[in-house]
Amino acid sequence: MIYVFDGSLEGLLTAVFEWFERKPGQVTLSLEKIYQPDAFTESLAIQNDRAKADRVWLGLQKKLSKEWMRKFYCAYLSEIPEIFNSLFLFTIYIFQNPAGAEKNYGNEHVLTLSKAARSVEREKHRMEAFIRFQHTTEGIYYCGIDPDFNVLPLILNHFKNRYADQKWIIYDLKRHYGLFYDLNIVEEITMDINTQALKQPAPHQLNEKEELYAHLWKDYFKSTNIVSRKNTKLHIRHVPKRYWKYLTEKQIG
Amino acid sequence: MSERLREKLSILADAAKYDVSCSSSGSDRKNTNKGVGNGHHSGICHTYTEDGRCVSLLKILLTNHCIFDCAYCVSRKSNDIQRAAFTVDEVVELTMNFYRRNFIEGLFLSSGIFKNADYTMERLLRVVKKLRLEQNYNGYIHLKTIPGASDELIHEAGLYADRMSINLEMPTETGLKLLAPDKSHKDVIKPLGFVQNQIVQFKEEKKLIKSVPKFVPAGQSTQMVVGATPETDKEIMYTADAFYKNFALRRVYYSGYIPISNDTRMPVLGTQPPLLRENRLYQTDWLMRFYGFKVQEILNDANPHLDIDIDPKLSWALRNLQHFPVDINTAPYRMILRIPGIGVTSAQKIVQARQFGKLHIYQLKNIGVAYSRAKHFIKCADTPFQMKDFQATQIKAFILAESQSKYLKTATNQLILFK
Ligand code: SF4
């Protein structure tokens, strides 16, 4: 039996609800986008239902610690196609077992989920580290990103708490949405422009001081290096090449 | 104007880079009154140098003018180099503008000693006060204590800094006297002790009165230069251990000496910094702080030096085979931690997971145990029956043959360079 859902958290949780209502035995959860029907396997299209989803979420909260709820959410944000089925089976496993079952690292779903959560947390941490704001002429600190996972919801608070006295935008160019802080609240925004062009704001869009500080930062980065200790392999392990495009210190010129 | 600023930054960042401490962790300072910045409990490395070290703070000297002549230091009086000094405002501007662009977690401010200790300390204090009081800046600040500065200035600095540090420089008094005759460990011990006392006192008061301000919330640290003088690893780590205990230090840093002069008292120019040794010292430091090892178990009169070809945890295990094999499914946590190939995270997962049934080899691998290393030291549910007991030398040979240790490669590479 295959349950087909739309990729939303609500859909995933509804699927769990439906399973417990029908107890159809072994079920795989599949993503609508990639699901290919075949003649031999029965399928059920999940109709999202907020009330059902909420009940499952509340139920989970009763069984799992805050830390594990966070793992669950992070794993979901990984958007790895196989993770949805793992989350689905994990939830069923948690409800069917006495409290504490999530600590069973011998269990396949526990492990898959905590590994995915780890990767997402790492990406979140990297974004907190590698985001480089540029001060635009409109007085907004801007940065465009394209993270491996959907981490904007996870970094929101960090940036809101830290940069409370400056306007900023962090825009996910891959997922076509961003966060805008206007000195009061953070709003989700979409920008109806060619995001390709937004990767680097054009020079005329930038504050006059911007170039000076980019230079100073590059100079600083150069001076911190100790030539006799050079270790490129280690450097790349810490700052994988795919992130270089974000980094002011890595831009040439 | 900006050209001069760029030049100053290059000189004063270059001179500050030999201080290896980079941590921005341990501060939970909040962003109050909608200012800018806050502490991050575990710190953030915003980038890494090309030699692979974390760049978290804007690490600069206020000036590289200095009245002293410490042989191991680029800023020493007798060294013929370009000198520069920032103004207080320049440091404040740089910090704020780097911070707002998310380049850094904060400021690490140190200085050569110009005129005298108090004059220097007073300048450092002005930077810090301006950031906190005028800019409403709540990001991280690591401030160097200038040896010989008065208690009043150190006390005031502690009200604004997140971390303070003062470097031991050489692991032993003899080593220090050899290279910096004007200095002594006493100059370091006194301010360390003073700040430590204040930290304890403020914490006590805070229990009673909520409004008591923070005092050096991220604690103190120190640094030792390794390889400039002939101390043994045992001497280095026993000193570190004593300072951890006596001053509740958050961190001791070990900095492999990078030859910077032709002074005959030290390794000659062009000698490679002892990176592998530095790494082994850090590993030992971790074993002491997170793995429950006593320093005497790792280094003692019979073993005054750390092995170069294997890490200190494996060394200890091979010297103490009587404790092995450890049964993964029954042994206490502290013994699991001592198994080579098992780190803190895996050890924690093991003790949680085994409540649900005996663990098997495939599960250990999934949990993240380096099984090819650990297998010589453990028993689990499906460990193959072993016919004979291996000797330490045989196990070591197996592990070395299998491991693709990058450090081992660096080691051979270094040995070639030393020829
Ligand atoms: S006092 Fe400090 S800055 Fe001056 S020479 Fe000695 S180590 Fe260098």
Side-chain angles (χ1 to χ4, degrees), chain B residues 65-232:
Chain B
H65 289 283
C66 191
I67 56 171
F68 283 119
D69 204 37
C70 312
Y72 48 82
C73 173
V74 269
S75 303
R76 68 188 182 283
K77 188 173 60 186
S78 65
N79 201 14
D80 181 20
I81 47 160
Q82 255 190 311
R83 306 279 169 175
F86 279 126
T87 65
V88 169
D89 284 334
E90 281 170 340
V91 177
V92 170
E93 282 287 292
L94 270 177
T95 309
M96 292 307 292
N97 276 288
F98 279 10
Y99 196 88
R100 288 193 180 285
R101 287 166 177 77
N102 205 42
F103 294 164
I104 53 169
E105 279 303 288
L107 174 67
F108 178 121
L109 187 59
S110 174
S111 184
I113 303 177
F114 51 141
K115 285 197 183 157
N116 58 51
D118 268 354
Y119 184 85
T120 312
M121 194 71 206
E122 199 262 331
R123 285 289 176 101
L124 297 181
L125 185 57
R126 264 167 51 197
V127 172
V128 178
K129 277 176 87 165
K130 208 158 189 168
L131 280 169
R132 292 278 192 244
L133 303 177
E134 287 176 26
Q135 301 286 330
N136 205 357
Y137 167 84
N138 298 295
Y140 196 86
I141 297 178
H142 179 152
L143 195 64
K144 221 80 236 170
T145 311
I146 301 298
S150 66
D151 286 354
E152 291 73 48
L153 287 176
I154 296 179
H155 170 87
E156 202 180 352
L159 293 172
Y160 303 105
D162 293 289
R163 168 165 291 180
M164 292 179 78
S165 70
I166 181 162
N167 290 348
L168 274 168
E169 311 291 13
M170 296 300 142
T172 59
E173 188 75 35
T174 344
L176 188 64
K177 274 279 169 294
L178 178 71
L179 300 182
D182 303 323
K183 286 186 167 176
S184 112
H185 272 182
K186 266 216 311 273
D187 309 336
V188 174
I189 289 172
K190 187 175 159 275
L192 275 178
F194 175 74
V195 172
Q196 170 60 12
N197 264 332
Q198 299 275 304
I199 292 177
V200 173
Q201 221 171 307
F202 269 73
K203 274 201 187 129
E204 283 302 310
E205 282 173 35
K206 205 166 175 75
K207 274 186 212 153
L208 302 172
I209 312 162
K210 272 269 163 297
S211 62
V212 169
K214 285 183 190 305
F215 190 86
V216 197
Q220 301 193 86
S221 65
T222 194
Q223 167 174 313
M224 287 187 260
V225 177
V226 172
T229 43
E231 281 93 355
T232 60

Side-chain angles (χ1 to χ4, degrees), chain B residues 280-378:
Chain B
R280 293 282 180 252
L281 292 170
Y282 277 113
Q283 288 173 326
T284 309
D285 188 276
W286 277 65
L287 292 181
M288 287 158 47
R289 289 192 299 141
F290 304 117
Y291 286 78
F293 281 88
K294 288 208 175 68
V295 67
Q296 295 82 358
E297 295 180 272
I298 305 166
L299 289 158
N300 42 51
D301 288 336
N303 308 282
H305 276 291
L306 297 166
D307 283 324
I308 287 298
D309 55 351
I310 51 173
D311 68 75
K313 192 174 170 191
L314 180 58
S315 287
W316 178 84
L318 291 175
R319 292 206 305 261
N320 293 279
L321 283 179
Q322 73 277 11
H323 296 303
F324 298 98
V326 167
D327 189 334
I328 290 289
N329 288 303
T330 57
Y333 175 68
R334 65 180 171 79
M335 271 322 286
I336 307 260
L337 265 185
R338 291 188 167 222
I339 301 167
I342 298 185
V344 174
T345 332
S346 313
Q348 284 168 350
K349 282 187 178 155
I350 286 170
V351 289
Q352 291 192 348
R354 69 186 182 188
Q355 299 168 20
F356 298 88
K358 281 194 187 281
L359 296 175
H360 295 73
I361 296 172
Y362 80 94
Q363 289 166 313
L364 293 180
K365 287 183 179 166
N366 278 340
I367 281 173
V369 170
Y371 184 72
S372 62
R373 175 169 288 232
K375 71 176 177 207
H376 304 286
F377 304 96
I378 60 169

Side-chain angles (χ1 to χ4, degrees), chain A residues 44-74:
Chain A
L44 174 77
I46 297 298
Q47 304 297 322
N48 292 0
D49 183 323
R50 187 60 193 265
K52 290 177 181 172
D54 280 351
R55 273 182 62 187
V56 173
W57 188 250
L58 286 175
L60 259 185
Q61 272 178 335
K62 281 200 194 106
K63 296 208 78 164
L64 294 179
S65 66
K66 255 188 158 162
E67 184 199 340
W68 269 93
M69 290 305 284
R70 165 122 186 155
K71 281 190 195 185
F72 184 95
Y73 184 50
C74 286

